[in-house]
Amino acid sequence: MDIGIAILIIGFAALVAAFLLLVIGLVYSELMNSDIPRGVANRWKLHMVHGLFVGIAIVGRILHRLGVCHQISFLRWFVACFLTRLNPVPAGLRVKDMKFSDVPVRVYEPTTVCDGLRRGLVYLPGGGWVLGNKDSVDEVCRHIAKETNTTVVSVGYRLAPEHRYPAPLDDCEVATCHFLSVAEAEFSVDPRRVAVGGDSTGANLAAALCQRLARREIGHLLFPCAQVLIYPALQMADFNLPSYQQNHAVPILFRGRMAFYFLQYLNGDMSLCQDVLEGIHVPNELKPRYEEWLSPSNLPAGFLARGYDKHPTPEYDGQVYHAMKDGLEHEVSPLLAEDADIQKTPPTFILTCEYDVLRDDGYLYRKRLLDMEKDVTWHHVAGGFHGMINFFNQRWLGFPSAVQVLDCVVDYIKKL
């Protein structure tokens, strides 16, 4: 072998080895920063899955800094190629990709005989507004459609950072209104029994959409009969609620990562991340109102059992506010909507998980709805963590607790 080629091979091998050592070291460091309490269901498996996701994220970050590709593009590619697999369509179900007014959707129609019109569900995938798509919730939508004899529409809304707020919400509105207008004629679905739902940031979009539709009061279209909110992200005014403090390092959603997702959705300026986490973007005149809605005193005693520190009132920075003010609007933070908007929302299902930074968002929204005497069904998963539903029926990535979450959703939808 030519000595020059041998040197190149040795150099390349050394480079690969150094890269792997760097990734391993960074993964180890990240894992040491995680904290999975003993109460989490299947905690050791969650450790393993978290390690995989951390490794993927680190490689994406390195490639991003080298100018090879955007870290989010790498994450999407890896998940699509290695962590997403579409199984054959089971008997009793018809699945079709189509478009509703140019918005991609996937429709799941039960083929069993139905006495009359079916109910419908428009499902909005989570994923921090940057990762979720129709494939990521395919198993979830199949299960709901089959178990509840419901026609489910999964919406492939545009993703950030390429398409920021309000583009994803606009797509969800277009797809939902289209479905409501053709539900009976084209899908034999009763438009008066069509719910809207989603998980995580998909639940954020569902809640924001219901408020938007209620405010517009479009006379020629019916309104969603319910909103199904699975561990929803509902506000970006306070990242120091008890659940954010208690679960700040619990996979799969760290406290800082939630701020990252909000920023990607709004403007992509990551330099504001620490400012947002501290809360200096909230104007002084809004703080009394937010305190009323977000106070830990509104939470059940069990949510405070693991302790929390009252966060000192941060000093307001007007420059940060002007860069982030859309994040405090009701279409990004539905929990911060006015009472009149909350009053118009449909019956609501809310699911929260104990070991989730978003736990308190869901509960506090429940309280606001109950204060307005709205119909609310709340289910709390004591051993649950954020993102559980995405592991439903995912072979070696599966978690038994994901079945528990989905069963609660199925039971609620059957009653619509």
Side-chain angles (χ1 to χ4, degrees), residues 119-180:
R119 67 175 71 82
L121 171 68
V122 177
Y123 195 91
L124 312 177
W129 298 287
V130 303
L131 295 174
N133 56 41
K134 302 189 302 296
D135 290 346
S136 65
V137 294
D138 187 70
E139 287 294 333
V140 170
C141 292
R142 290 183 183 195
H143 186 77
I144 292 174
K146 283 202 68 176
E147 294 300 315
T148 65
N149 199 24
T150 296
T151 296
V152 178
V153 176
S154 175
V155 180
Y157 56 84
R158 288 171 291 174
L159 298 174
E162 298 92 338
H163 305 283
R164 296 196 166 101
Y165 167 79
L169 182 58
D170 291 343
D171 286 354
C172 294
E173 179 187 13
V174 167
T176 301
C177 290
H178 180 98
F179 184 56
L180 286 168

Short mmCIF file of all heavy atoms in Angstrom, two decimals, residues 119-180:
data_model
loop_
_atom_site.label_atom_id
_atom_site.label_comp_id
_atom_site.label_asym_id
_atom_site.label_seq_id
_atom_site.Cartn_x
_atom_site.Cartn_y
_atom_site.Cartn_z
N ARG A 119 -68.10 10.02 14.61
CA ARG A 119 -67.47 11.19 15.20
C ARG A 119 -66.13 11.41 14.49
O ARG A 119 -65.62 10.53 13.79
CB ARG A 119 -67.26 11.00 16.71
CG ARG A 119 -66.24 9.93 17.04
CD ARG A 119 -65.98 9.85 18.53
NE ARG A 119 -67.10 9.30 19.27
CZ ARG A 119 -67.36 8.00 19.39
NH1 ARG A 119 -66.60 7.10 18.79
NH2 ARG A 119 -68.39 7.58 20.09
N GLY A 120 -65.54 12.57 14.70
CA GLY A 120 -64.25 12.90 14.08
C GLY A 120 -63.29 13.51 15.07
O GLY A 120 -63.70 14.07 16.10
N LEU A 121 -61.99 13.40 14.78
CA LEU A 121 -60.95 14.01 15.60
C LEU A 121 -59.87 14.57 14.68
O LEU A 121 -59.32 13.85 13.85
CB LEU A 121 -60.33 12.99 16.55
CG LEU A 121 -59.07 13.46 17.31
CD1 LEU A 121 -59.42 14.56 18.32
CD2 LEU A 121 -58.39 12.28 18.03
N VAL A 122 -59.58 15.85 14.82
CA VAL A 122 -58.45 16.46 14.13
C VAL A 122 -57.28 16.44 15.10
O VAL A 122 -57.34 17.06 16.17
CB VAL A 122 -58.76 17.91 13.70
CG1 VAL A 122 -57.53 18.53 13.04
CG2 VAL A 122 -59.95 17.93 12.75
N TYR A 123 -56.21 15.70 14.75
CA TYR A 123 -55.08 15.52 15.66
C TYR A 123 -53.88 16.32 15.17
O TYR A 123 -53.46 16.21 14.01
CB TYR A 123 -54.71 14.05 15.78
CG TYR A 123 -53.80 13.77 16.96
CD1 TYR A 123 -54.34 13.44 18.20
CD2 TYR A 123 -52.42 13.88 16.85
CE1 TYR A 123 -53.52 13.23 19.30
CE2 TYR A 123 -51.59 13.67 17.94
CZ TYR A 123 -52.15 13.34 19.17
OH TYR A 123 -51.34 13.14 20.27
N LEU A 124 -53.30 17.12 16.09
CA LEU A 124 -52.17 17.98 15.78
C LEU A 124 -50.93 17.44 16.49
O LEU A 124 -50.87 17.44 17.73
CB LEU A 124 -52.47 19.41 16.23
CG LEU A 124 -53.84 19.96 15.79
CD1 LEU A 124 -54.07 21.36 16.35
CD2 LEU A 124 -53.97 19.94 14.28
N PRO A 125 -49.94 16.94 15.75
CA PRO A 125 -48.76 16.33 16.37
C PRO A 125 -47.94 17.33 17.19
O PRO A 125 -47.87 18.51 16.87
CB PRO A 125 -47.94 15.83 15.16
CG PRO A 125 -48.91 15.79 14.02
CD PRO A 125 -49.89 16.88 14.29
N GLY A 126 -47.31 16.82 18.25
CA GLY A 126 -46.37 17.63 19.02
C GLY A 126 -44.99 17.58 18.40
O GLY A 126 -44.82 17.22 17.24
N GLY A 127 -43.97 17.93 19.20
CA GLY A 127 -42.61 17.92 18.67
C GLY A 127 -41.96 19.29 18.70
O GLY A 127 -41.04 19.57 17.93
N GLY A 128 -42.42 20.15 19.62
CA GLY A 128 -41.77 21.45 19.78
C GLY A 128 -41.93 22.38 18.60
O GLY A 128 -41.12 23.29 18.42
N TRP A 129 -42.96 22.15 17.79
CA TRP A 129 -43.20 22.93 16.56
C TRP A 129 -42.10 22.72 15.51
O TRP A 129 -42.16 23.32 14.44
CB TRP A 129 -43.32 24.44 16.84
CG TRP A 129 -44.45 24.82 17.72
CD1 TRP A 129 -45.77 24.84 17.41
CD2 TRP A 129 -44.35 25.31 19.07
NE1 TRP A 129 -46.51 25.28 18.48
CE2 TRP A 129 -45.66 25.58 19.52
CE3 TRP A 129 -43.27 25.53 19.93
CZ2 TRP A 129 -45.93 26.06 20.79
CZ3 TRP A 129 -43.54 26.01 21.20
CH2 TRP A 129 -44.84 26.27 21.63
N VAL A 130 -41.10 21.88 15.80
CA VAL A 130 -40.00 21.72 14.86
C VAL A 130 -39.83 20.29 14.36
O VAL A 130 -39.23 20.06 13.30
CB VAL A 130 -38.65 22.19 15.48
CG1 VAL A 130 -38.74 23.64 15.93
CG2 VAL A 130 -38.23 21.31 16.65
N LEU A 131 -40.33 19.29 15.09
CA LEU A 131 -40.06 17.89 14.75
C LEU A 131 -41.30 17.08 14.41
O LEU A 131 -41.22 16.11 13.66
CB LEU A 131 -39.32 17.20 15.91
CG LEU A 131 -37.93 17.72 16.24
CD1 LEU A 131 -37.41 17.03 17.49
CD2 LEU A 131 -36.98 17.49 15.08
N GLY A 132 -42.44 17.40 14.99
CA GLY A 132 -43.62 16.55 14.84
C GLY A 132 -44.14 16.52 13.41
O GLY A 132 -44.08 17.51 12.68
N ASN A 133 -44.66 15.37 13.01
CA ASN A 133 -45.27 15.24 11.68
C ASN A 133 -46.28 14.09 11.70
O ASN A 133 -46.48 13.44 12.72
CB ASN A 133 -44.22 15.04 10.60
CG ASN A 133 -43.32 13.85 10.86
OD1 ASN A 133 -43.78 12.79 11.31
ND2 ASN A 133 -42.03 14.00 10.61
N LYS A 134 -46.87 13.83 10.56
CA LYS A 134 -47.90 12.79 10.50
C LYS A 134 -47.34 11.41 10.83
O LYS A 134 -48.01 10.59 11.45
CB LYS A 134 -48.53 12.77 9.09
CG LYS A 134 -49.16 14.10 8.69
CD LYS A 134 -49.95 13.99 7.39
CE LYS A 134 -49.14 13.50 6.21
NZ LYS A 134 -48.06 14.44 5.86
N ASP A 135 -46.10 11.14 10.42
CA ASP A 135 -45.50 9.83 10.71
C ASP A 135 -45.26 9.62 12.19
O ASP A 135 -45.40 8.50 12.71
CB ASP A 135 -44.18 9.68 9.95
CG ASP A 135 -44.37 9.55 8.45
OD1 ASP A 135 -45.50 9.32 8.01
OD2 ASP A 135 -43.38 9.70 7.71
N SER A 136 -44.91 10.69 12.91
CA SER A 136 -44.56 10.55 14.33
C SER A 136 -45.74 10.16 15.19
O SER A 136 -45.57 9.63 16.29
CB SER A 136 -43.92 11.84 14.85
OG SER A 136 -44.85 12.91 14.83
N VAL A 137 -46.95 10.43 14.73
CA VAL A 137 -48.15 10.07 15.51
C VAL A 137 -49.01 9.05 14.78
O VAL A 137 -50.19 8.88 15.11
CB VAL A 137 -48.98 11.34 15.85
CG1 VAL A 137 -48.20 12.26 16.77
CG2 VAL A 137 -49.41 12.07 14.58
N ASP A 138 -48.42 8.36 13.80
CA ASP A 138 -49.20 7.43 13.00
C ASP A 138 -49.83 6.32 13.83
O ASP A 138 -51.01 6.02 13.71
CB ASP A 138 -48.31 6.83 11.91
CG ASP A 138 -49.09 5.99 10.91
OD1 ASP A 138 -49.86 6.56 10.13
OD2 ASP A 138 -48.94 4.75 10.94
N GLU A 139 -49.05 5.70 14.71
CA GLU A 139 -49.57 4.61 15.53
C GLU A 139 -50.64 5.11 16.50
O GLU A 139 -51.63 4.42 16.77
CB GLU A 139 -48.44 3.93 16.30
CG GLU A 139 -47.53 3.06 15.45
CD GLU A 139 -48.24 1.83 14.89
OE1 GLU A 139 -49.22 1.37 15.52
OE2 GLU A 139 -47.83 1.34 13.82
N VAL A 140 -50.45 6.31 17.02
CA VAL A 140 -51.43 6.90 17.94
C VAL A 140 -52.76 7.12 17.23
O VAL A 140 -53.83 6.74 17.73
CB VAL A 140 -50.89 8.23 18.50
CG1 VAL A 140 -51.99 8.98 19.26
CG2 VAL A 140 -49.70 7.99 19.41
N CYS A 141 -52.70 7.70 16.04
CA CYS A 141 -53.94 7.99 15.30
C CYS A 141 -54.62 6.70 14.85
O CYS A 141 -55.86 6.61 14.86
CB CYS A 141 -53.62 8.88 14.11
SG CYS A 141 -53.12 10.56 14.57
N ARG A 142 -53.85 5.70 14.44
CA ARG A 142 -54.44 4.41 14.07
C ARG A 142 -55.21 3.81 15.25
O ARG A 142 -56.33 3.33 15.10
CB ARG A 142 -53.36 3.43 13.63
CG ARG A 142 -52.69 3.75 12.31
CD ARG A 142 -51.68 2.68 11.95
NE ARG A 142 -50.98 2.99 10.71
CZ ARG A 142 -50.27 2.09 10.02
NH1 ARG A 142 -50.18 0.85 10.48
NH2 ARG A 142 -49.67 2.44 8.90
N HIS A 143 -54.56 3.84 16.41
CA HIS A 143 -55.18 3.23 17.60
C HIS A 143 -56.47 3.96 17.97
O HIS A 143 -57.49 3.31 18.26
CB HIS A 143 -54.19 3.27 18.75
CG HIS A 143 -54.66 2.56 19.98
ND1 HIS A 143 -54.66 1.19 20.10
CD2 HIS A 143 -55.18 3.04 21.15
CE1 HIS A 143 -55.15 0.85 21.28
NE2 HIS A 143 -55.47 1.95 21.94
N ILE A 144 -56.43 5.28 17.98
CA ILE A 144 -57.63 6.04 18.33
C ILE A 144 -58.75 5.75 17.34
O ILE A 144 -59.91 5.53 17.73
CB ILE A 144 -57.31 7.54 18.37
CG1 ILE A 144 -56.37 7.87 19.54
CG2 ILE A 144 -58.61 8.36 18.50
CD1 ILE A 144 -55.90 9.31 19.57
N ALA A 145 -58.42 5.74 16.05
CA ALA A 145 -59.44 5.51 15.02
C ALA A 145 -60.09 4.15 15.19
O ALA A 145 -61.32 4.02 15.14
CB ALA A 145 -58.82 5.65 13.64
N LYS A 146 -59.28 3.11 15.41
CA LYS A 146 -59.81 1.76 15.51
C LYS A 146 -60.59 1.54 16.80
O LYS A 146 -61.68 0.96 16.80
CB LYS A 146 -58.68 0.73 15.42
CG LYS A 146 -58.16 0.48 14.01
CD LYS A 146 -57.47 -0.87 13.91
CE LYS A 146 -58.46 -2.01 14.06
NZ LYS A 146 -57.84 -3.33 13.87
N GLU A 147 -60.03 2.00 17.92
CA GLU A 147 -60.63 1.71 19.21
C GLU A 147 -61.88 2.53 19.49
O GLU A 147 -62.72 2.13 20.30
CB GLU A 147 -59.60 1.96 20.33
CG GLU A 147 -58.41 1.00 20.30
CD GLU A 147 -58.85 -0.45 20.47
OE1 GLU A 147 -59.69 -0.72 21.35
OE2 GLU A 147 -58.35 -1.31 19.71
N THR A 148 -62.03 3.67 18.83
CA THR A 148 -63.18 4.53 19.10
C THR A 148 -64.14 4.62 17.91
O THR A 148 -65.15 5.31 18.01
CB THR A 148 -62.72 5.95 19.46
OG1 THR A 148 -62.07 6.54 18.31
CG2 THR A 148 -61.76 5.94 20.64
N ASN A 149 -63.81 3.92 16.81
CA ASN A 149 -64.63 3.99 15.60
C ASN A 149 -64.80 5.44 15.16
O ASN A 149 -65.90 5.91 14.84
CB ASN A 149 -65.99 3.34 15.82
CG ASN A 149 -66.68 2.99 14.50
OD1 ASN A 149 -66.02 2.81 13.48
ND2 ASN A 149 -68.00 2.89 14.51
N THR A 150 -63.68 6.17 15.16
CA THR A 150 -63.66 7.60 14.85
C THR A 150 -62.79 7.86 13.62
O THR A 150 -61.73 7.24 13.47
CB THR A 150 -63.08 8.38 16.06
OG1 THR A 150 -63.94 8.22 17.18
CG2 THR A 150 -62.92 9.86 15.74
N THR A 151 -63.23 8.77 12.78
CA THR A 151 -62.39 9.21 11.66
C THR A 151 -61.41 10.25 12.18
O THR A 151 -61.82 11.30 12.70
CB THR A 151 -63.25 9.81 10.53
OG1 THR A 151 -64.10 8.79 10.00
CG2 THR A 151 -62.37 10.36 9.41
N VAL A 152 -60.14 9.94 12.07
CA VAL A 152 -59.09 10.81 12.61
C VAL A 152 -58.34 11.47 11.47
O VAL A 152 -57.97 10.81 10.49
CB VAL A 152 -58.11 10.01 13.49
CG1 VAL A 152 -56.98 10.92 14.00
CG2 VAL A 152 -58.85 9.37 14.67
N VAL A 153 -58.11 12.76 11.59
CA VAL A 153 -57.33 13.52 10.60
C VAL A 153 -56.08 14.06 11.28
O VAL A 153 -56.17 14.87 12.21
CB VAL A 153 -58.16 14.69 10.02
CG1 VAL A 153 -57.30 15.51 9.07
CG2 VAL A 153 -59.41 14.18 9.32
N SER A 154 -54.92 13.59 10.85
CA SER A 154 -53.64 14.08 11.37
C SER A 154 -53.13 15.17 10.44
O SER A 154 -53.07 14.98 9.22
CB SER A 154 -52.63 12.93 11.45
OG SER A 154 -51.36 13.41 11.84
N VAL A 155 -52.77 16.31 11.00
CA VAL A 155 -52.42 17.49 10.19
C VAL A 155 -50.90 17.65 10.10
O VAL A 155 -50.20 17.73 11.11
CB VAL A 155 -53.04 18.77 10.80
CG1 VAL A 155 -52.67 19.99 9.95
CG2 VAL A 155 -54.55 18.62 10.91
N GLY A 156 -50.40 17.74 8.87
CA GLY A 156 -48.98 17.97 8.64
C GLY A 156 -48.70 19.45 8.47
O GLY A 156 -48.32 19.91 7.38
N TYR A 157 -48.87 20.21 9.53
CA TYR A 157 -48.66 21.65 9.46
C TYR A 157 -47.18 21.98 9.23
O TYR A 157 -46.29 21.18 9.52
CB TYR A 157 -49.18 22.33 10.73
CG TYR A 157 -48.57 21.81 12.03
CD1 TYR A 157 -47.36 22.29 12.50
CD2 TYR A 157 -49.23 20.84 12.77
CE1 TYR A 157 -46.81 21.82 13.69
CE2 TYR A 157 -48.69 20.36 13.96
CZ TYR A 157 -47.48 20.85 14.41
OH TYR A 157 -46.94 20.37 15.57
N ARG A 158 -46.94 23.16 8.70
CA ARG A 158 -45.56 23.61 8.46
C ARG A 158 -44.81 23.75 9.79
O ARG A 158 -45.40 24.10 10.81
CB ARG A 158 -45.56 24.94 7.71
CG ARG A 158 -45.97 24.83 6.25
CD ARG A 158 -46.16 26.21 5.64
NE ARG A 158 -47.33 26.89 6.20
CZ ARG A 158 -47.65 28.15 5.91
NH1 ARG A 158 -46.87 28.87 5.11
NH2 ARG A 158 -48.75 28.68 6.45
N LEU A 159 -43.51 23.49 9.74
CA LEU A 159 -42.69 23.46 10.95
C LEU A 159 -41.73 24.63 11.04
O LEU A 159 -41.26 25.16 10.01
CB LEU A 159 -41.90 22.15 11.01
CG LEU A 159 -42.71 20.85 11.08
CD1 LEU A 159 -41.77 19.65 10.99
CD2 LEU A 159 -43.54 20.78 12.36
N ALA A 160 -41.42 25.03 12.27
CA ALA A 160 -40.35 25.98 12.53
C ALA A 160 -39.02 25.21 12.48
O ALA A 160 -39.00 23.99 12.63
CB ALA A 160 -40.56 26.60 13.91
N PRO A 161 -37.89 25.88 12.28
CA PRO A 161 -37.74 27.33 12.14
C PRO A 161 -38.02 27.88 10.74
O PRO A 161 -38.00 29.09 10.55
CB PRO A 161 -36.28 27.55 12.53
CG PRO A 161 -35.59 26.31 12.06
CD PRO A 161 -36.58 25.19 12.32
N GLU A 162 -38.25 26.99 9.77
CA GLU A 162 -38.52 27.48 8.42
C GLU A 162 -39.81 28.28 8.35
O GLU A 162 -39.92 29.26 7.61
CB GLU A 162 -38.61 26.31 7.43
CG GLU A 162 -37.33 25.49 7.30
CD GLU A 162 -37.31 24.31 8.26
OE1 GLU A 162 -38.04 24.35 9.28
OE2 GLU A 162 -36.58 23.34 8.00
N HIS A 163 -40.80 27.86 9.15
CA HIS A 163 -42.11 28.51 9.14
C HIS A 163 -42.51 28.78 10.59
O HIS A 163 -42.92 27.87 11.30
CB HIS A 163 -43.15 27.63 8.45
CG HIS A 163 -42.76 27.20 7.07
ND1 HIS A 163 -42.85 28.02 5.98
CD2 HIS A 163 -42.25 26.03 6.63
CE1 HIS A 163 -42.44 27.38 4.90
NE2 HIS A 163 -42.06 26.18 5.27
N ARG A 164 -42.38 30.01 11.00
CA ARG A 164 -42.63 30.36 12.40
C ARG A 164 -44.07 30.83 12.61
O ARG A 164 -44.84 30.95 11.66
CB ARG A 164 -41.62 31.42 12.85
CG ARG A 164 -40.17 30.90 12.84
CD ARG A 164 -39.24 31.79 13.65
NE ARG A 164 -37.99 31.10 13.88
CZ ARG A 164 -36.86 31.31 13.20
NH1 ARG A 164 -36.85 32.19 12.22
NH2 ARG A 164 -35.76 30.64 13.49
N TYR A 165 -44.39 31.07 13.89
CA TYR A 165 -45.72 31.57 14.23
C TYR A 165 -46.06 32.78 13.37
O TYR A 165 -45.22 33.65 13.18
CB TYR A 165 -45.74 31.95 15.73
CG TYR A 165 -46.96 32.75 16.12
CD1 TYR A 165 -48.17 32.12 16.33
CD2 TYR A 165 -46.89 34.15 16.25
CE1 TYR A 165 -49.30 32.86 16.67
CE2 TYR A 165 -48.01 34.88 16.59
CZ TYR A 165 -49.20 34.24 16.80
OH TYR A 165 -50.32 34.95 17.12
N PRO A 166 -47.27 32.84 12.80
CA PRO A 166 -48.43 31.97 13.06
C PRO A 166 -48.64 30.87 12.01
O PRO A 166 -49.74 30.30 11.96
CB PRO A 166 -49.58 32.96 13.03
CG PRO A 166 -49.19 33.94 11.96
CD PRO A 166 -47.69 34.07 12.09
N ALA A 167 -47.64 30.59 11.17
CA ALA A 167 -47.84 29.64 10.06
C ALA A 167 -48.36 28.28 10.51
O ALA A 167 -49.33 27.77 9.92
CB ALA A 167 -46.55 29.49 9.26
N PRO A 168 -47.77 27.63 11.54
CA PRO A 168 -48.30 26.32 11.95
C PRO A 168 -49.76 26.40 12.41
O PRO A 168 -50.57 25.53 12.07
CB PRO A 168 -47.37 25.92 13.10
CG PRO A 168 -46.09 26.63 12.81
CD PRO A 168 -46.53 27.96 12.27
N LEU A 169 -50.08 27.44 13.17
CA LEU A 169 -51.46 27.60 13.65
C LEU A 169 -52.41 27.89 12.49
O LEU A 169 -53.53 27.38 12.45
CB LEU A 169 -51.53 28.72 14.69
CG LEU A 169 -52.90 29.00 15.33
CD1 LEU A 169 -53.45 27.76 16.01
CD2 LEU A 169 -52.81 30.17 16.31
N ASP A 170 -51.97 28.68 11.53
CA ASP A 170 -52.79 28.96 10.35
C ASP A 170 -53.11 27.67 9.59
O ASP A 170 -54.25 27.46 9.15
CB ASP A 170 -52.07 29.94 9.41
CG ASP A 170 -51.96 31.35 9.99
OD1 ASP A 170 -52.70 31.66 10.94
OD2 ASP A 170 -51.13 32.12 9.48
N ASP A 171 -52.10 26.80 9.44
CA ASP A 171 -52.32 25.53 8.74
C ASP A 171 -53.34 24.67 9.48
O ASP A 171 -54.21 24.04 8.86
CB ASP A 171 -51.01 24.76 8.62
CG ASP A 171 -50.08 25.35 7.57
OD1 ASP A 171 -50.49 26.29 6.87
OD2 ASP A 171 -48.94 24.87 7.47
N CYS A 172 -53.24 24.65 10.81
CA CYS A 172 -54.18 23.85 11.61
C CYS A 172 -55.60 24.39 11.46
O CYS A 172 -56.57 23.62 11.39
CB CYS A 172 -53.75 23.86 13.08
SG CYS A 172 -52.17 23.03 13.39
N GLU A 173 -55.72 25.71 11.41
CA GLU A 173 -57.05 26.30 11.22
C GLU A 173 -57.62 25.94 9.86
O GLU A 173 -58.79 25.55 9.73
CB GLU A 173 -56.97 27.82 11.36
CG GLU A 173 -58.32 28.49 11.15
CD GLU A 173 -58.22 30.01 11.12
OE1 GLU A 173 -57.10 30.54 11.02
OE2 GLU A 173 -59.29 30.66 11.17
N VAL A 174 -56.81 26.07 8.82
CA VAL A 174 -57.27 25.78 7.46
C VAL A 174 -57.74 24.33 7.36
O VAL A 174 -58.81 24.03 6.83
CB VAL A 174 -56.15 26.07 6.44
CG1 VAL A 174 -56.50 25.48 5.08
CG2 VAL A 174 -55.91 27.56 6.32
N ALA A 175 -56.91 23.40 7.87
CA ALA A 175 -57.25 21.98 7.77
C ALA A 175 -58.51 21.65 8.58
O ALA A 175 -59.37 20.89 8.13
CB ALA A 175 -56.07 21.13 8.26
N THR A 176 -58.61 22.22 9.77
CA THR A 176 -59.77 21.93 10.63
C THR A 176 -61.06 22.48 10.02
O THR A 176 -62.08 21.79 9.98
CB THR A 176 -59.55 22.53 12.03
OG1 THR A 176 -58.38 21.97 12.62
CG2 THR A 176 -60.74 22.25 12.94
N CYS A 177 -61.01 23.72 9.55
CA CYS A 177 -62.21 24.31 8.95
C CYS A 177 -62.63 23.56 7.68
O CYS A 177 -63.82 23.37 7.42
CB CYS A 177 -61.97 25.78 8.65
SG CYS A 177 -61.87 26.82 10.13
N HIS A 178 -61.64 23.12 6.90
CA HIS A 178 -61.95 22.34 5.70
C HIS A 178 -62.66 21.04 6.08
O HIS A 178 -63.68 20.68 5.48
CB HIS A 178 -60.67 22.04 4.93
CG HIS A 178 -60.89 21.25 3.68
ND1 HIS A 178 -60.98 21.82 2.43
CD2 HIS A 178 -61.07 19.91 3.48
CE1 HIS A 178 -61.20 20.88 1.53
NE2 HIS A 178 -61.25 19.71 2.14
N PHE A 179 -62.12 20.36 7.09
CA PHE A 179 -62.73 19.09 7.50
C PHE A 179 -64.14 19.30 8.02
O PHE A 179 -65.06 18.54 7.70
CB PHE A 179 -61.86 18.42 8.57
CG PHE A 179 -62.35 17.06 8.99
CD1 PHE A 179 -62.55 16.05 8.06
CD2 PHE A 179 -62.63 16.80 10.32
CE1 PHE A 179 -63.01 14.80 8.44
CE2 PHE A 179 -63.09 15.55 10.71
CZ PHE A 179 -63.28 14.55 9.76
N LEU A 180 -64.34 20.34 8.83
CA LEU A 180 -65.68 20.62 9.35
C LEU A 180 -66.68 20.88 8.21
O LEU A 180 -67.85 20.51 8.29
CB LEU A 180 -65.64 21.82 10.29
CG LEU A 180 -65.03 21.59 11.67
CD1 LEU A 180 -64.78 22.91 12.38
CD2 LEU A 180 -65.93 20.69 12.51
#
